[in-house]
Amino acid sequence: MNDYKVTIGIEVHAQLKTTTKLFCGCPTSFGEAPNTNVCPICLGLPGVLPSLNKKAVELAIRAALALNCEIHKKSIFARKNYFYPDLPKGYQITQYKSPLATSGKILVEGKEVRIKRVHLEEESAKLIHEKDKSLIDYNRAGIPLIEIVTEPDIDSPEMALAYLKKLQKILEFTQVSDAIMAKGELRCEPNVSVSKEEGKLGTRTEIKNLNSFRAVGRALRSEVKRQIEILERGGIVEQATIHYSEKTGKTRIGRAKEEASDYRYFPEPDLPPLVLEEEWIEEIRKSLEELPEERMERYKNLGVSEEEAKIISGSKKASKLFEETLRILNEPLEISRWLIREYRNFQEPDISAENLANIIKMVLSGKLSRINGSLVFKLMVETGKSPIEIVEERNLIQISDPEALKKVIEEVFKEQPKEFERFKKGEKKLLGFFVGEVMKKTKGRADPKEVSRILSEYEKN
Amino acid sequence: MKTIANYHKEFERGEYTPLELLEECLRNIDPEINAFITVTEELARESLKRSKKGRLRGIPIAVKDNINIKGVPTTCGSGILRGFIPPYSATVIERIESEGGIFIGKTNLDEFGMGSSTERSFYGPTKNPYDLSRVPGGSSGGSAAALASGSAIISLGSDTGGSVRQPASYCGLVGLKPTYGRVSRYGLVAFASSLDQIGIIGRNSEDVGLLLSVIAGYDKRDSTSSTNEVEDYENLEFPQKGIKIGIPEEYFEEIDEEVYNKVMEIKEALEKEGFSFKKVSLPSTDYIISTYQVISYAEASSNLARYDGVRYGLRKEGKDFLETIRKSREEGFLPEVKRRILVGTFVLSSEAIAEYYERADLIRKIITWEFEECFKEVDYLFTPATPTPAFPIGERTDDPIRMHIPDRLTAGANLSGIPAIVAPAGFVGHLPIGYQIMGRHFDEKGLLSLVKLVEKIKPFKGLSYE
Ligand SMILES: [Zn+2]
């Protein structure tokens, strides 16, 4: 069974987080009484015309940017014509030949999944089937959706799940969609094929009716198994729509596709082409924050440990400070260390990158001891003063001058003659004791490394 | 002939009252002519009470029955919309109301605007007031007949391939199809969205200019409406002598001789006034009808899909959704509309779209380009409005090809979105006939000014009720 290659592509519909519908001003609120969020436009009454919701366009652009897509400055709405009672106009306004965005990609567990296209479209109404009749609730009709289509780059049900979870996170983080599957805000239709022959795809089937991650995983595993069994028996997989049953956890073949439906797409004459200004796209791009996961990867690539990278990237404030400080001072490991040890101790206070960079610079140049560096950090948080001010005020500049340090060391030896004798005779453990005494005497200003070096000279004598 | 401005002066001087005018129009409604599908007498009387000021105060206006007035049935001349009462008004209706206009009724049309004679209405044909055995032109024939029979002062129509201008020609009136986007289409029931434009049929250029001033302008509810500034169409001046007028030779082919002569009389009169004419060529004119048919049928097949018996209008129950939809449409549409839906569905199908729809779209661009090239040489194009006067009722109903012949002269303006106006050139026998002027995008003012000049130098005294 293992020699079968699984190929999965996924179409996702996500509901955009707008307060009004795609082509009219009706609210998008959930759970209202049936047919209350409706107007002549979303009901498609004779004579109405659609007006595009700018917010929906903005959110679609955000999503496309977050998926690293190329945004097209001109895209065209099309009509997809078919008859169904949940479709008020007899067609759905969507994008077809000329979508909003194409050619994106995201990393899923280290593997690249290419995004074929992202486009805008309107939702249809909801049919409620009762025993002897069907009812229609048009509250959902006209709610803005984006469709996100991948290339067939997914090679296992597990990876499909990982892709969906990542996509959900992206949509949520960028505030494009709440993407709650149970509410129908995120719906997916995976298509799947298996093949033994290298470089050749098998016949694919499309799975419908999936409303949870669990269902997606189970349905895909079941469908892969079903297809392999057919092929093992020497049979042929038929192109079909597959239904998944939550009860049995199994897929079964639905209506075999007799003929592909002809949707008679053509450009929507009631909407001019959607033309986007470069400036607007850039504005949106700037407002987009990097996803935590991507940020963490970037930090790791700078040499920051995984654990630290995770902590910093997980906090908007810390990561912002990290990046700003990094721009002033190219010491990622050092900055990360200060953020983890000092910044987080004080519950992420509001400090400037410049000030943090200055403390680190002073420590790295030997102007300030690490111990006093911590003190300066604390005083900076408490007083709001700049580190340079604090260092000057408190006279905290580190003493590294060997002559000056020698003087202090001599003083300490005089005060502790017994210990000095033992030290001279070779009692090494007293080195630390004397470093401590010198630090005490200089109020932490002495450079401990230099003090040790000088002390060890005495020892040799 | 009285203009709206004349009526307003009489109202002011107390010589005549808006109520008297309304009564007169109501009296002139002739069931034989069948210009109206719905007479909104009550609504008219109600609004008359409120109509104290505004540029259209007290003026009875007839509205083609594919433009929505809140609370008044919209039928589109069809059976499938039976019982449909729109819960909202078209933008043009709101704008007219705010200027004190009075709606006297909804006028007859070919079902969904599909026809050139107003014979193909679910509510029976409208007759030409000049000759009851003849058609008034289509598809805004009801609006034209209402004016020509004196039951309204001005009217709204819609023009997809000439549907305002042809009836104006057959009924001795001024019909304007504005630039695509000049007037909001919100509330106009779509036939072919990229060609449809609300137009005006009036008795003279001034009235048409006045109504255009009221209804023109950007509407945020219609994304295809233009933000171009609206010119003053109310205070028309005569055109300057320096303008150049083109005679596109293709538009004078296969025109009845008498029609040709009448139109030429207008040309000569303008020449006497010092205007220069120049021959130009629009070689793609022969493709206008087929291009128009492919595009308008394609869009219509999609626009009419919403009439499925699910939410409003006629419903015939079937055993499931699809059968209900099928039965309702089977019964709800007349044969001409079905024919167009079928052809439109075909030209958009995946096997035919490249050969038909996409090719037509390309030729449409060429036609538009040819107009643009012409307008580099001349300011206006002067043509006949129709090749013949009004034809007898029933003569062409079984011949879709012949029915489309007049479209050759008018549909080019729809395909390219330019404005065009038709005004009376005189009579051929007892039947009026019109000339047409086409202009550059958004030059409605120029068209109206030219017509105003013709009205001065060759006054048309044709209205049968005067
Ligand atoms: Zn709505």
Side-chain angles (χ1 to χ4, degrees), chain A residues 21 23-27 37-43 138 141-142:
Chain A
K21 292 185 181 181
F23 297 119
C24 65
C26 287
N37 285 352
V38 294
C39 73
I41 298 172
C42 53
L43 289 173
Y138 287 96

Side-chain angles (χ1 to χ4, degrees), chain A residues 155-166:
Chain A
D155 57 17
S156 69
E158 289 68 35
M159 190 180 169
L161 274 179
Y163 164 75
L164 286 174
K165 282 184 181 156
K166 173 130 190 193

Side-chain angles (χ1 to χ4, degrees), chain A residues 276-451:
Chain A
L276 303 173
E277 307 246 339
E278 180 66 45
E279 282 167 31
W280 193 39
I281 300 174
E282 279 316 304
E283 214 177 282
I284 297 170
R285 196 192 300 276
K286 273 185 208 138
S287 75
L288 263 189
E289 281 175 57
E290 196 179 11
L291 297 166
E293 210 177 315
E294 258 78 61
R295 212 150 43 196
M296 183 176 111
E297 286 300 318
R298 208 152 47 77
Y299 297 171
K300 271 163 68 185
N301 288 339
L302 293 171
V304 178
S305 76
E306 177 154 0
E307 200 191 342
E308 288 185 359
K310 198 170 180 181
I311 292 168
I312 296 170
S313 64
S315 151
K316 268 189 195 178
K317 249 176 116 176
S319 55
K320 189 170 171 245
L321 185 58
F322 177 78
E323 310 218 352
E324 283 174 4
T325 313
L326 196 62
R327 243 173 272 146
I328 304 170
L329 183 67
N330 189 22
E331 292 284 352
L333 276 83
E334 196 64 35
I335 300 167
S336 151
R337 199 166 144 188
W338 280 84
L339 289 178
I340 300 288
R341 297 207 188 142
E342 307 293 340
Y343 186 66
R344 280 171 22 98
N345 272 346
F346 291 95
Q347 270 120 37
E348 307 196 346
D350 293 315
I351 59 167
S352 76
E354 204 190 350
N355 283 345
L356 178 60
N358 277 337
I359 297 179
I360 300 172
K361 269 186 211 165
M362 286 190 281
V363 170
L364 291 179
S365 68
K367 238 178 131 185
L368 192 62
S369 69
R370 277 196 188 276
I371 291 174
N372 277 343
S374 296
L375 177 66
V376 170
F377 192 97
K378 180 174 176 263
L379 292 170
M380 175 176 73
V381 173
E382 283 169 3
T383 64
K385 287 180 182 163
S386 83
I388 293 168
E389 267 179 286
I390 297 165
V391 166
E392 274 169 11
E393 256 177 34
R394 303 231 167 183
N395 194 21
L396 292 174
I397 293 177
Q398 180 165 269
I399 309 163
S400 306
D401 174 27
E403 288 310 310
L405 287 174
K406 239 178 213 167
K407 259 189 196 162
V408 182
I409 290 168
E410 300 275 336
E411 270 175 48
V412 172
F413 286 164
K414 263 181 212 156
E415 285 162 20
Q416 316 276 356
K418 277 183 206 155
E419 283 77 4
F420 178 50
E421 282 306 312
R422 279 160 55 199
F423 178 59
K424 262 208 307 198
K425 278 177 193 150
E427 207 171 315
K428 275 186 181 156
K429 62 180 182 190
L430 280 165
L431 181 84
F433 166 76
F434 280 116
V435 173
E437 288 299 303
V438 172
M439 295 309 283
K440 234 190 256 168
K441 203 156 193 90
T442 59
K443 295 195 176 106
R445 289 169 63 210
D447 178 349
K449 267 191 215 142
E450 193 60 21
V451 174

Side-chain angles (χ1 to χ4, degrees), chain B residues 197-233:
Chain B
Q197 180 65 85
I198 288 179
I200 300 165
I201 303 179
R203 308 190 303 183
N204 55 68
S205 56
E206 269 187 44
D207 290 357
V208 172
L210 170 59
L211 186 51
L212 182 63
S213 293
V214 171
I215 63 173
Y218 174 69
D219 176 13
K220 67 174 173 19
R221 292 181 292 188
D222 177 358
S223 311
T224 64
S225 74
S226 170
T227 52
N228 269 27
E229 211 177 309
V230 176
E231 282 187 272
D232 175 10
Y233 312 112

Side-chain angles (χ1 to χ4, degrees), chain A residues 44 46-47 79 81 88 91 262 270, chain B residues 68 88 187 302-303 306 311 350:
Chain A
R79 290 188 186 177
N81 295 282
Y91 54 83
D262 191 341
D270 289 331
Chain B
N68 286 330
Y88 75 101
S302 172
N303 282 330
R306 71 191 67 199
R311 294 165 305 278
S350 51

